[in-house]
Amino acid sequence: MKTKLKTLLLLPFFALLMFTSCQDEVIDITPPDENEEVTLTASSELTSLMFYTSAKDGSADNIIDKASCTSVELPVTVIVNGLEITIDSEEDFKVIEAIFNEFEDDEDELDIVFPITIILSNHEEIVIENRDQLEELIQQCKDENEEDDDIECIDFKYPISFTVYNTDFQIIDVITVENDRELYHFIKRIKEETGLLASINFPVTMVLADGSEIEVNNNIELANIIKEAKDACDEDDDNDYGDDDFTKEHLDELLMTCPWVVYEFERNEDDLNEVYRDYVMVFKEEGVVKVYARGGDILTGTWSTRVTTNGALIKLEFDTLVDFTLEWFVYDLAPGKIKLYQEGGNKIILKKNCDLALDITKERIESYLQECFWRVARLKIDGADNEIDYIGTPLKFFPDNVVKLRVNGEFVQGTYQIAEYNTEGFVLQIQLEGRPNLQLEWLITFLQPELIKLENLGNRDDEMILHRHCVDVDGDLTYIDGVLITGEWEVALYQDGDENKTENYFMYTVDFQITGRVKITDPNFSEFSGSWLAYRNEGLYLGLYFNDYVPFDTLNHRWKIVEVTANRIELRDFSSTGEVERILVLEKEE
């Protein structure tokens, strides 16, 4: 239930929380009193709520150990219906369930390959040598379907810090905790050590079961939020993993709430992602389901659901979409996502999208295009990737069919048209001098407020993806832009693999301008212009493009922003496997 940070932590003040009272730094802390509105004590309600919120939840792996008070440390090897598999992550629990669901009339068996390590609710780890020892631990759990004590529907976002006092309210320590385990043991100290008091250094961010976040600023507010969230989700503490704890009515209601977009598709062990990805399914009343194909075709079929002892199933029937026609097991339900499975190598992953515009009209397309800038996220022509030419150079569509491309801080003006194309939908035609890769007939295959996908009518393998860029509505981007355009910068570090190439940029000055131009001044005071754009795409990025200007041409890239302060920005280039390949650090000149 942990989520990625939605907002970048930009202020260096937070580093102070990592120091204890033995340091000389001054920490601004409001002195507490005996009132529980400020202080955590052994008997306070909030102490107890935090204790159970930080307890280890053991329900996720009930399909293995059948106990919510224990967790099996991964990886672990199990034998499922005679098939030996290694479980490396919680996602693999669904593999076990899929094997169990393969046949409705067989006897499902799971054997654990011992020894294993068990983690208790108090985060204690115990090595278990055999099944008998595990059964002894399982007996300590409550009966199936009886609630356990841990609070699972809300989590803390770490790190958080506490100021610790003695009974005279003198500061004796400042503690920073980084995870549930550390918080659990710290709160345990508060509960057990006589005369130990603590106060939370607010604000604190809480993460709800659906991934949303809430910032709290005092003890009362925190206690109320935890109590409200305690029973706000299904903790799934029973051992009946096969039902996924939903009814037919719940499943039907969920399917009909919003459109569902095909994210992955596999049929008879054939990968059909290229065929069906971005198809949209709309489940309607009276068992009618409509599938919106790329390009605008609408295919109608029927759907029905049933729940068995082995889980829930969705039956789809179409006259034309034979690959969809099957009774599918629902083997995973997560917020905004449904995974379907059937034996023989059949799988569909659907993602919910309530903002999707299914009725594509010329007026709707024009309205979306004219709202904000649009960033060329992908441009594939004749098998070659061309989007590097558009790093930091967004498009802006205006009324009266005017389109402008921002290059080096200046706008290059052209025209655009939205036209109907047979029965397939609508085509976007762009005319921009010097940009032949844009001057094609682009069929709009996917449209939503923040994303547009297009295919070249002349070569359907050519594709373009546009991402909306609205800087004024994103506080992080506003902050980053403000930092960059204030003052001049220098390259403090450029690390390419194991090679430090910083000296190549000695005596160069980098000046980010509000227009989107980045001005480079070399040691001889000659100037060169490039383009820059800070944007969000499942993280914060800075796009830099200097054309073929040496040595800055090697920095043409969409860099991941990992740290920003008023005088320093650190950027990294990651490989497809998540390894750091390059590091670029810019520091403001004094």
Side-chain angles (χ1 to χ4, degrees), residues 387-405:
E387 59 264 21
I388 190 172
D389 296 331
Y390 296 90
I391 293 176
T393 59
L395 290 158
K396 184 71 175 75
F397 296 87
F398 295 88
D400 300 324
N401 302 111
V402 173
V403 61
K404 296 181 180 181
L405 181 69

Side-chain angles (χ1 to χ4, degrees), residues 206-232:
M206 306 301 294
V207 184
L208 301 179
D210 63 0
S212 60
E213 299 179 358
I214 300 176
E215 183 178 285
V216 295
N217 295 285
N218 57 63
N219 285 9
I220 294 177
E221 187 179 352
L222 179 58
N224 288 337
I225 286 173
I226 294 177
K227 286 188 290 186
E228 290 174 3
K230 183 179 185 300
D231 300 315

Side-chain angles (χ1 to χ4, degrees), residues 30-236:
T30 303
D33 51 35
E34 296 181 357
N35 193 321
E36 290 187 9
E37 294 182 10
V38 177
T39 309
L40 292 175
T41 66
S43 59
S44 67
E45 179 188 33
L46 180 56
T47 301
S48 179
L49 290 170
M50 295 179 69
F51 184 72
Y52 290 120
T53 302
S54 59
K56 177 70 173 176
D57 172 30
S59 61
D61 64 352
N62 284 358
I63 195 169
I64 295 177
D65 61 9
K66 297 183 173 63
S68 294
C69 60
T70 63
S71 297
V72 179
E73 185 178 67
L74 304 180
V76 63
T77 300
V78 295
I79 301 173
V80 185
N81 290 353
L83 179 64
E84 182 174 305
I85 59 175
T86 298
I87 305 300
D88 295 305
S89 66
E90 290 191 8
E91 186 70 20
D92 292 336
F93 298 157
K94 300 304 178 182
V95 177
I96 300 175
E97 190 170 337
I99 295 173
F100 281 174
N101 290 339
E102 187 169 4
F103 302 104
E104 293 192 43
D105 56 353
D106 64 339
E107 184 89 19
D108 292 321
E109 296 181 356
L110 184 146
D111 295 315
I112 302 172
V113 178
F114 293 93
I116 61 173
T117 299
I118 288 292
I119 307 172
L120 303 181
S121 60
N122 63 1
H123 298 274
E124 178 184 356
E125 296 184 2
I126 300 175
V127 176
I128 302 296
E129 299 290 346
N130 53 55
R131 170 62 69 176
D132 290 339
Q133 290 183 12
L134 179 60
E135 292 296 334
E136 287 184 24
L137 273 180
I138 291 175
Q139 292 304 314
Q140 299 175 23
C141 290
K142 299 180 179 180
D143 293 337
E144 180 185 351
N145 295 322
E146 183 176 334
E147 294 183 5
D148 56 355
D149 293 325
D150 66 323
I151 299 174
E152 303 165 27
C153 299
I154 190 169
D155 285 309
F156 289 90
K157 176 184 278 189
Y158 297 100
I160 58 177
S161 71
F162 300 83
T163 304
V164 183
Y165 307 87
N166 59 21
T167 53
D168 295 324
F169 297 109
Q170 295 176 327
I171 298 175
I172 60 175
D173 208 351
V174 176
I175 300 294
T176 298
V177 298
E178 301 283 351
N179 51 52
D180 280 347
R181 184 179 184 277
E182 292 180 9
L183 177 59
Y184 182 91
H185 287 294
F186 174 70
I187 297 297
K188 186 178 180 183
R189 283 182 57 200
I190 300 295
K191 292 171 68 70
E192 294 179 353
E193 293 185 22
T194 304
L196 189 63
L197 308 173
S199 63
I200 305 171
N201 294 324
F202 290 98
V204 170
T205 300
M206 306 301 294
V207 184
L208 301 179
D210 63 0
S212 60
E213 299 179 358
I214 300 176
E215 183 178 285
V216 295
N217 295 285
N218 57 63
N219 285 9
I220 294 177
E221 187 179 352
L222 179 58
N224 288 337
I225 286 173
I226 294 177
K227 286 188 290 186
E228 290 174 3
K230 183 179 185 300
D231 300 315
C233 71
D234 182 0
E235 296 189 347
D236 201 15

